[in-house]
Each structure stands twice: as C-alpha cells, then as structure tokens.
C-alpha cells in the first residue's frame, strides 16, 4: 500500500507543477504515435509542426524525417499515447500542428513518480525502515532534478532513472530470491536504449555479476541481448545502421573543458550538483558507511564507481552544462545511486551519540529544505529557465556558469 501512496503523492506534485520544458524532447510523443501506428518512428505525418519548429533535432533516414534522439523514451510513452487517442480522438489530429507539452509533462511525471515508488521499495527492502524509505524517496522526488527537470518534459533522464532503480531493486530482492538477479539485463538494456550513458552501469554491474554472481550473469546477458537484438533490427530497418549516430562516442571530445567541467558539474552556481541539491552531501558519509559494512560491500563499491565514471564521462561533453536547462541535467542520471547512499547516512544517524545525532539531523533538515526550495523554484517558475537566455545566451557566454551573483534559482 505504501508504495502506491508514495507514487500518488509524487505524481500529483509533479503533474500539477506548472513548468513545462519540451525542448529536446518535443518529438517524443509524435514518435510514440508513429510507433503505435506501425510507422517505425517516421515523422512524415507531422511535417507541418516540424516546419513550425524549424525541423529542430530532426534527421532524415531513407527519405523520412525522424528525431535524432533515442527511441527508448517514445517506446515507454506509446501506451499513454494509445490511451489518449482512445479517450480523445482529436488528440492525434492536434499532433500534426502542435507539441503536446502538457501531455508530455504528465507522461514524464508518471514515470518519474514510478521511479520514486520503486526507490521507496528499494530502501525499505534494504533497511527495513519505513521512515528511512519515506525520507529517501522524498529526497529523490523533491530534493533533486527529478522534480525541477526530469518531470518537466519527457527528457531521457526520468525514464533512465526508472530503469536504474528497477535494476537496483532487483539486485536487492535477489538476496531472498537469487533468480531475480538474472533479470537485470532487461532494465539495463532498456536503460541503454533510452540513453547511452547507461553503458557505464551496464559495464560496472556486469563486472560485479562476474565476480559475485556468475550464475545470474548468463540470464542477464541473454535478457540484454534479446532487447539489443530487437533494437538493432529496428535501427537497420529504419536507418540502415545497427547503432544510431547519437550513440557514437565521438560526442565525448571536450578535452579543452574537461577540468572546468569536472568542477562545474559539482559546484557551478548554474549547474553544480551539490549547489542545487546540497542534501546529496550526505551521500559521502553514506558511501563510507556502506563500504565499511561487510554486507554488500562489493555492490556499494560498484555503485560508487558508477557515480565517479559517469561524472568523468559527462565532463567530456564540450557543452557540459547541457545547453538550456535548469541545474545539473547531465548528472541527474546517477541520482538513484547517490540518494541510495544518503539512505545509508540516514540509517547511521541512530548510531550517533544523542547530541551528535541531533546536530546531524538538523544539518540534514537544513540541506533538505534548501534543496527542495531550489527545485521547487525550477518546477514552478520559468525565471530560472529564462536565465539561459537572459541577459545573454549561456551557450555563447559560458562564463556565466560561474557567476555567483546571478544563479538561476535566485532569479
């Protein structure tokens, strides 16, 4: 019952928050409708709205216009589009001339809330504590970019966090039912189809299974290959290549900005993970506590390695600030792992002396309130988003990313 309550609360808050940002994601619903009608993701039926948007993020494969972004998000959206088409027959007619920003936000809110509910189940299974699970789920839902960015439109990040959380939950539940570990290949493969940065958790968790659970590795590989085979066949049928250009490593070439990006992804006043979600500072002592415990030390180290490798990888993007966004968009993919470590820190509070426990709890409360305030601003007001273009385009003036006099959340 509690997971449903967690889902409902998160979904309602996400869905009623007014900010909508259908930027890179603007063709996700149109592509889902194309898949639903057996058109393979072709957007030829929507040329009027493509033209209105100057064919933004559109490529041509075999004479048909398609989005340049991964297909995975649209696959997840297809059931929602089917329901909308049945409820409102004019829904698909409107797609030819408009971007359904509100509908897209609702779909994103659904999958974001689902990720929060699964995360609640993960933490409750690990610690056997409802208070720790509820608090950790609240951190993920309202103290991070899940609220201010991932659920404002159908970006890749919310669905990716969902798949990673399902993977973590399967690994946790496999302690009681070892067969479940063999199914992690399915959400991991789906995560990669949603966003290529999922290659990092795939590689790290594959190595973890090789060391700690070789029996499950076979099922994981087979499940992943089954999903991959369908994806390869789809890509070959639609564009003649098994791997789309978006997945090629050539996009990671920002050597001249790498050192700046490493720092910026953590502490930039415009994009810093620890600036926008200071409550995640508790992930540091949480990680220390997790690796000190004998139980699941290897898995904790794997999760920590995923965090570090992802941070390094996205810092290789020349546009490490992720264009026009709010907060640390590129770092949002690893939020389930970071908040998982926050849960360890919360569990450790009970072991502290009374005075230290009160001080730590007060510190957590202050950092949590600050994090919620920042993401509340991004989810409910456009001022922080308009920071990207006012007084000048951040892509043309990236020095603004370090202007502490004008952080987006204080607009």
């Amino acid at each position: 019952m509690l997971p449903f309550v967690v889902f409902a609360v998160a979904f309602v808050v996400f869905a009623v928050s007014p900010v909508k940002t259908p930027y890179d994601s603007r063709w996700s619903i149109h592509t889902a409708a194309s898949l639903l009608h057996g058109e393979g993701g072709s957007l030829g039926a929507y040329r009027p709205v493509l033209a209105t948007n100057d064919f933004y993020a559109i490529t041509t494969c075999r004479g048909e216009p398609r989005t340049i972004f991964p297909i995975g998000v649209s696959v997840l959206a297809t059931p929602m589009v089917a329901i909308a088409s049945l409820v409102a027959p004019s829904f698909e007619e409107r797609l030819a001339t408009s971007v359904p920003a509100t509908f897209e936000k609702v779909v994103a809110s659904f999958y974001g809330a689902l990720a929060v509910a699964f995360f609640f189940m993960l933490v409750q299974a690990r610690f056997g504590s409802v208070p720790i699970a509820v608090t950790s789920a609240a951190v993920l839902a309202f103290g991070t970019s899940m609220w201010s960015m991932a659920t404002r439109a159908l970006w890749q990040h919310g669905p990716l966090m969902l798949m990673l959380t399902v993977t973590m939950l399967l690994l946790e539940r496999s302690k009681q039912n070892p067969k479940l570990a063999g199914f992690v290949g399915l959400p991991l493969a789906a995560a990669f189809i949603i966003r290529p940065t999922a290659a990092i958790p795939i590689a790290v968790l594959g190595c973890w299974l090789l060391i700690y659970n070789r029996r499950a590795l076979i099922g994981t590989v087979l499940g992943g290959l089954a999903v991959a085979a369908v994806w390869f066949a789809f890509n070959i049928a639609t564009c003649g290549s098994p791997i789309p250009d978006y997945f090629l490593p050539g996009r990671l070439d920002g050597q001249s900005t790498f050192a700046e990006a490493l720092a910026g992804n953590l502490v930039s006043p415009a994009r810093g993970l620890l600036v926008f979600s200071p409550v995640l500072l508790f992930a540091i002592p949480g990680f220390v506590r997790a690796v000190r415990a004998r139980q699941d030390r290897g898995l904790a180290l794997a999760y920590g390695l995923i965090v570090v490798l992802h941070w390094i990888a996205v810092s290789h993007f020349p546009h490490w600030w992720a264009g026009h966004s709010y907060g640390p968009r590129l770092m949002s993919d690893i939020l389930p792992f970071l908040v998982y470590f926050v849960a360890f820190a919360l569990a450790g509070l009970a072991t502290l002396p009374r005075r230290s426990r009160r001080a730590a709890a007060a510190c957590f409360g202050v950092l949590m309130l600050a994090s919620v305030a920042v993401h509340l601003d991004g989810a409910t007001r456009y001022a922080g988003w308009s920071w990207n273009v006012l007084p000048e385009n951040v892509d043309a003036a990236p020095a603004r990313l370090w202007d502490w006099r004008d952080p987006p959340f204080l607009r």
Side-chain angles (χ1 to χ4, degrees), residues 1-15 113-114 117 142:
M1 183 63 182
L2 278 176
F4 293 101
V5 174
V6 170
F7 167 82
V9 171
F11 176 70
V12 169
V13 173
F14 294 160
L114 200 59
F142 308 121

Side-chain angles (χ1 to χ4, degrees), residues 332-357:
S332 64
D333 300 343
I334 52 172
L335 288 174
F337 303 110
L338 290 170
V339 183
Y340 179 75
F341 290 131
V342 171
F344 275 88
L346 292 173
L349 291 180
T351 66
L352 297 175
R354 185 176 182 181
R355 182 174 297 180
S356 298
R357 183 168 64 250

Side-chain angles (χ1 to χ4, degrees), residues 113-384:
L114 200 59
V116 172
F118 280 128
F119 189 79
F120 168 86
M121 296 168 62
L122 164 67
V123 176
Q124 186 180 32
R126 177 62 181 81
F127 297 99
S129 169
V130 171
I132 292 175
V134 169
T135 305
S136 302
V139 171
L140 179 62
F142 308 121
T144 72
S145 296
M146 177 68 86
W147 188 13
S148 64
M149 183 277 301
T151 56
R152 298 307 86 213
L154 203 51
W155 302 83
Q156 301 163 26
H157 309 283
L160 174 58
M161 284 190 268
L162 170 62
M163 294 303 161
L164 294 178
T165 302
V166 170
T167 298
M168 298 169 75
L169 179 59
L170 286 172
L171 291 175
E172 181 61 38
R173 291 286 178 84
S174 69
K175 297 172 187 176
Q176 285 73 43
N177 185 356
K179 293 181 179 180
L180 290 177
F183 290 96
V184 300
L186 297 174
L188 282 176
F192 182 75
I193 293 173
I194 289 168
R195 188 163 176 82
T197 53
I200 293 172
I202 289 172
V204 173
L205 292 177
C207 291
W208 180 84
L209 287 170
L210 181 63
I211 297 171
Y212 293 98
N213 195 344
R214 293 185 181 180
R215 290 183 178 180
L217 183 61
I218 297 175
T220 297
V221 171
L222 291 177
L225 287 177
V227 176
V230 175
W231 184 60
F232 289 147
F234 172 83
N235 293 332
I236 292 172
T238 56
C239 286
S241 173
I243 301 178
D245 291 344
Y246 191 86
F247 288 78
L248 300 179
R251 299 172 65 237
L252 300 173
D253 60 358
Q255 295 297 330
S256 62
T257 61
F258 178 62
E260 178 189 6
L262 282 174
N265 278 317
L266 295 183
V267 296
S268 160
R271 295 293 186 266
L273 179 71
L274 299 179
V275 174
F276 278 71
S277 294
V279 69
L280 295 180
L281 286 167
F282 271 75
I284 299 172
F287 173 74
V288 173
R289 178 178 172 81
V291 297
R292 282 181 176 176
R294 289 187 177 182
Q295 182 185 9
D296 299 331
R297 179 180 295 167
L299 191 58
L301 288 170
Y303 290 165
L305 181 59
I306 290 170
V307 170
V308 172
L309 291 179
H310 180 89
W311 173 41
I312 292 172
V314 298
S315 295
H316 276 92
F317 280 104
H319 281 63
W320 59 266
W321 56 92
H324 294 182
S325 184
Y326 181 86
R329 180 166 73 85
L330 296 185
M331 291 291 284
S332 64
D333 300 343
I334 52 172
L335 288 174
F337 303 110
L338 290 170
V339 183
Y340 179 75
F341 290 131
V342 171
F344 275 88
L346 292 173
L349 291 180
T351 66
L352 297 175
R354 185 176 182 181
R355 182 174 297 180
S356 298
R357 183 168 64 250
R358 287 181 174 179
C363 182
F364 175 85
V366 170
L367 295 180
M368 180 60 175
L369 286 174
S371 301
V372 170
V374 168
H375 295 288
L376 169 67
D377 185 77
T380 59
R381 298 196 307 143
Y382 285 97

